[in-house]
Amino acid sequence: MRIISLNAWGGRLHEALIAYVKQADPDVLCLQEVLRARNADSGWSIYRDAGLELPQRANLFQEISAALPGHDAFFCPASRGELFDGDAAIVADFGLATLVRKSHSVIAQALDFVHGSFSADGWGEHPRPRNAHCIRLFSSAHGRAVTIAHMHGLRDPAGKGDTAQRQQQALALAGLIGRIWPGDEGLVVCGDFNVLPDSATFRVLARLGLSDLVTGSGLVDTRTSHYLKQGRFADYMLITPGVEVARFDVVEAPEVSDHRALLLDIA
């Protein structure tokens, strides 16, 4: 089973992203920073915030879904706000997407907020709402189940250091996982956590038996050349001891975002 976690960066490297998703052909694709605008054509739009303008794919969720027609696609919105096509406003949802190969059975799932609550009238104040999605899959080919969760951790303009809000976020994520994971099978937790490697988040998750493959492999960078700031950690992939790793890779090429994709093949 191949699991890929990636912050999609709103689809800013759209062609490379779609090509990579098709080529990598994951069993489970966990995406953060995904947009869906129900009443707009697919294509480019602009996100505007405090003088910042960023190109975004308004219907990235539909585009990713079309690239993986053999997968069931789940969209998990955290907030709803406006994008722009020129001066015309486009109402869009922003959040997580989880895509699962249809040959696997989703036998349980939970979706909830780990920080704040759904913002229906604008993107929300910083730190903005964040959610997490947890699924339990049964693989007929292997005759066993595995639980997979991913999260987009809150962004604090002050940085990635520990805060009371991040502590509560970690506890909320662990609680969400506890609703689905029975405790006696493999567990994978991944995503853009927006924390540093020494964060208390990992001590909370360690209570579930989870350890991180990124820092455990001695890796010090999960960002691509498109990220120009200091502090190269953001994305993590954690597993319990029952998960047998056939391959783990922090993908350097192709670059499909300002984040690197995390790829895990389970034996």
Side-chain angles (χ1 to χ4, degrees):
M1 181 180 291
R2 171 165 290 179
I3 302 166
I4 292 178
S5 176
L6 173 66
N7 181 316
W9 204 27
R12 288 179 65 182
L13 299 180
H14 175 254
E15 290 186 9
L17 172 62
I18 296 298
Y20 173 70
V21 165
K22 290 179 177 179
Q23 175 271 322
D25 193 28
D27 290 276
V28 181
L29 178 61
C30 299
L31 292 177
Q32 303 89 46
E33 289 197 21
V34 177
L35 291 149
R36 181 175 68 171
R38 295 181 181 86
N39 299 317
D41 294 333
S42 294
W44 291 105
S45 60
I46 298 295
Y47 165 81
R48 294 173 180 161
D49 180 38
L52 181 69
E53 293 197 355
L54 302 173
Q56 303 279 282
R57 297 296 291 190
N59 274 317
L60 183 60
F61 177 67
Q62 285 88 337
E63 293 170 326
I64 293 288
S65 300
L68 295 174
H71 290 60
D72 291 317
F74 304 85
F75 183 68
C76 311
S79 59
R80 177 178 298 161
E82 289 185 338
L83 303 173
F84 292 89
D85 180 4
D87 292 328
I90 301 168
V91 177
D93 287 344
F94 172 88
L96 309 175
T98 310
L99 291 93
V100 181
R101 193 183 303 279
K102 291 179 180 179
S103 57
H104 302 304
S105 301
V106 178
I107 57 176
Q109 64 177 311
L111 166 67
D112 209 344
F113 281 78
V114 292
H115 173 73
S117 58
F118 182 68
S119 178
D121 186 21
W123 305 118
E125 298 296 324
H126 291 292
R128 288 175 169 163
R130 290 291 192 254
N131 57 358
H133 189 210
C134 182
I135 58 174
R136 186 174 180 230
L137 306 182
F138 182 80
S139 170
S140 298
H142 300 93
R144 60 180 177 175
V146 62
T147 300
I148 302 165
H150 72 117
M151 171 184 77
H152 185 196
L154 67 87
R155 178 184 178 276
D156 188 333
K160 293 185 170 66
D162 278 340
T163 62
Q165 291 170 319
R166 284 194 168 111
Q167 175 75 11
Q168 289 303 312
Q169 175 179 259
L171 293 170
L173 176 61
L176 177 69
I177 293 167
R179 298 186 213 170
I180 300 301
W181 182 52
D184 58 355
E185 65 190 29
L187 171 63
V188 178
V189 180
C190 54
D192 173 9
F193 288 6
N194 267 322
V195 299
L196 300 174
D198 62 354
S199 171
T201 295
F202 299 104
R203 293 191 286 277
V204 172
L205 296 179
R207 300 170 193 166
L208 303 178
L210 289 160
S211 58
D212 176 47
L213 293 173
V214 173
T215 54
S217 300
L219 299 169
V220 296
D221 192 350
T222 65
R223 308 303 293 254
T224 69
S225 64
H226 296 274
Y227 187 78
L228 305 179
K229 302 175 185 178
Q230 297 298 314
R232 309 290 297 180
F233 282 106
D235 309 273
Y236 300 92
M237 178 87 72
L238 297 89
I239 61 171
T240 53
V243 176
E244 185 178 349
V245 177
R247 174 189 176 191
F248 174 68
D249 191 15
V250 178
V251 179
E252 294 189 22
E255 293 190 346
V256 299
S257 167
D258 64 341
H259 295 251
R260 297 185 190 178
L262 307 185
L263 184 151
L264 172 65
D265 287 341
I266 298 177

